[in-house]
Amino acid sequence: MPADIAQLIRDIDAIPGHSRFGRVTAVSGLMVEVGGIEKELSVGGRCLVETRDGRHIPCEVVGFRQGRALLMPFGALDGVGLGCRALVAGDQPSIFPTDAWLGRVVNALGEPVDGKGPLPKGPRATPIRNNPPNAHARARVGEKLDLGIRAINAFLTCCLGQRMGIFAGSGVGKSSVMSMLARFSGAEIAVIGLIGERGRELQEFITEDLGEEGLARSIVVCATSDEAPLMRRQAAYMTLAVAEHFRDEGRNVLCMMDSVTRFAMAQREIGLSAGEPPTTKGYPPTVFAELPRLLERAGPGLVGSGSITGLFTVLVEGDDHNEPIADAVRGILDGHIVLERQIGERGRYPAINILRSVSRTMPGCNSRNENELVGHARRLLSSYDNMAEMIRLGAYRKGSDPQVDEAIHYQPALEAFLKQGKRESTDLATSYALLAEIFGVQWPQ
Ligand SMILES: Nc1ncnc2c1ncn2[C@@H]1O[C@H](COP(=O)(O)OP(=O)(O)OP(=O)(O)O)[C@@H](O)[C@H]1O
Ligand SMILES: [Mg+2]
């Protein structure tokens, strides 16, 4: 390249880029109203609001009202006042993950928060907000995925590209199940979103639950409960975006999120601040529009690419499994694992109620023998459950019903099978073998 052209390029590069900005005209609650640039902005676009002391707070456009743009911040609004500048910062940013992201912890903006230095940038951009793959071009769910928990492997088998919910009231063991899955699953890569949970749990999860080995094949995205609602919501989008990057490379990714309820709550805060009407339990309509848009991003990829197996925890408020978020999520996913407080109180963890849980890929993914074995065990659990009250009261007389007698006989062994310590893992084949052993069945058949 001739020297004068090179010089010319350097000169052009040195010209400061122009920036367009408006001014803050009102601040109320979490919302910043900006005037002067509304024609240049669109919903989902970005702005940087300058504080009085010169810091820049990233904000997102969430709506327009009376000719002014409504922005929400990704951080606290301290230092923002009337007349502060709001700079237009372009559209939704993208991330550039690579394999070097494995073992790292990032925040909702894709910045490293683990103190291990800067994150390398990959060659391919992945948008943070993305659409699910075209439903008509998607592959079917793949082969079985080993999740390391006996009760799930045998009774609620999960396949590659399947999306399951883990439903429970507060403190019944959602996060514990999640940490077992993160550590024991046979997935190649795990992307774990910790959305709106406690700050204390984050370190515990990374150092104790995941451990070095688990972390080495994982990427953790986190936004704790004290962060701005926009950060919490975006952390969920970020989790899926990282998973999508690896799926598009043809890998089978396990995407876990704890919890989807906190994502819905963040969207509730955003929607209500933007002036949406509240509907059931104060959730505005956009919550029910955003949930499927988020959850549908997990699942099988296009034919020939990888898959995202999704495991999402849902906090059911007041142990009411029909509350609106649980209901909406259950309808979107391909299966649900229900954890029950009474079972936990009995001391059986993970407190999975097998009878109320469903994997919608079963029985299709199983062999005939496996289905027979699991079906038999389920029938016994159900017989016992129907009579449990009577049996406990001593009102059931042995010999009245052979099926119930059989259920009572096998109950202790089945309970022991379902109980599993947090540090103990059982692979798929062993799960079936152990279940078969209870009934004295030769396995594999
Ligand atoms: N496999 C297990 N073995 C023994 N105890 C367990 C097991 N799983 C959960 N627990 C008990 O249940 C408690 C709550 O678990 P966890 O924090 O996972 O619940 P959670 O549903 O995520 O709660 P929250 O709704 O508050 O986030 C734990 O502190 C632990 O005592
Ligand atoms: Mg939890």
Side-chain angles (χ1 to χ4, degrees), residues 174-175 197-198 201 258:
K174 294 179 296 300
S175 303
E197 296 289 319
R198 303 167 193 87
E201 283 184 335
D258 191 14

Side-chain angles (χ1 to χ4, degrees), residues 169-176 197-198 201 315 349-350 420 422:
S170 61
V172 184
K174 294 179 296 300
S175 303
S176 305
E197 296 289 319
R198 303 167 193 87
E201 283 184 335
L315 166 72
Y349 282 105
Q420 187 168 335
K422 269 182 85 171

Side-chain angles (χ1 to χ4, degrees), residues 106-273:
V106 300
N107 68 6
L109 304 173
E111 299 159 348
V113 289
D114 50 7
K116 292 185 189 165
L119 273 180
K121 198 169 168 182
R124 200 161 46 82
T126 307
I128 295 176
R129 272 205 205 185
N130 205 350
N131 291 321
N134 184 341
H136 299 286
R138 275 187 130 164
R140 306 270 308 269
V141 291
E143 60 203 50
K144 292 186 199 179
L145 176 65
D146 177 15
L147 290 180
I149 299 180
R150 283 193 290 276
I152 299 180
N153 275 346
F155 287 96
L156 304 161
T157 317
C158 180
C159 295
L160 288 175
Q162 188 170 345
R163 297 156 313 156
M164 299 269 266
I166 300 168
F167 294 76
S170 61
V172 184
K174 294 179 296 300
S175 303
S176 305
V177 168
M178 182 74 94
S179 69
M180 288 170 82
L181 296 170
R183 203 169 41 230
F184 301 141
S185 85
E188 206 182 326
I189 291 181
V191 183
I192 304 164
L194 300 174
I195 318 292
E197 296 289 319
R198 303 167 193 87
R200 166 185 66 79
E201 283 184 335
L202 176 67
Q203 268 315 317
E204 254 174 51
F205 182 83
I206 292 167
T207 52
E208 285 174 33
D209 295 338
L210 262 185
E212 295 251 317
E213 200 186 320
L215 187 61
R217 59 180 179 113
S218 309
I219 297 165
V220 180
V221 182
C222 66
T224 46
S225 57
D226 54 312
E227 292 189 48
L230 221 50
M231 286 292 265
R232 282 178 270 139
R233 182 181 74 172
Q234 177 140 315
Y237 297 143
M238 176 64 71
T239 309
L240 265 306
V242 175
E244 280 163 349
H245 166 86
F246 290 106
R247 176 201 64 198
D248 293 343
E249 285 189 341
R251 326 266 277 267
N252 290 315
V253 185
L254 180 64
C255 173
M256 291 184 271
M257 196 177 287
D258 191 14
S259 68
V260 174
T261 308
R262 304 286 180 204
F263 164 81
M265 287 176 173
Q267 179 63 36
R268 171 166 70 183
E269 285 175 51
I270 296 166
L272 292 179
S273 301

Side-chain angles (χ1 to χ4, degrees), residues 34-82:
V34 170
I37 43 169
E38 50 290 331
K39 295 269 159 43
E40 304 189 34
L41 296 174
S42 52
V43 171
R46 290 301 166 91
C47 276
L48 292 172
V49 174
E50 214 170 68
T51 62
R52 296 245 194 264
D53 49 10
R55 285 176 302 121
H56 287 107
I57 301 173
C59 293
E60 185 173 312
V61 182
V62 294
F64 295 90
R65 189 191 296 156
Q66 293 170 347
R68 300 264 161 78
L70 298 174
L71 313 184
M72 274 190 95
F74 279 97
L77 277 176
D78 301 345
V80 175
L82 291 182

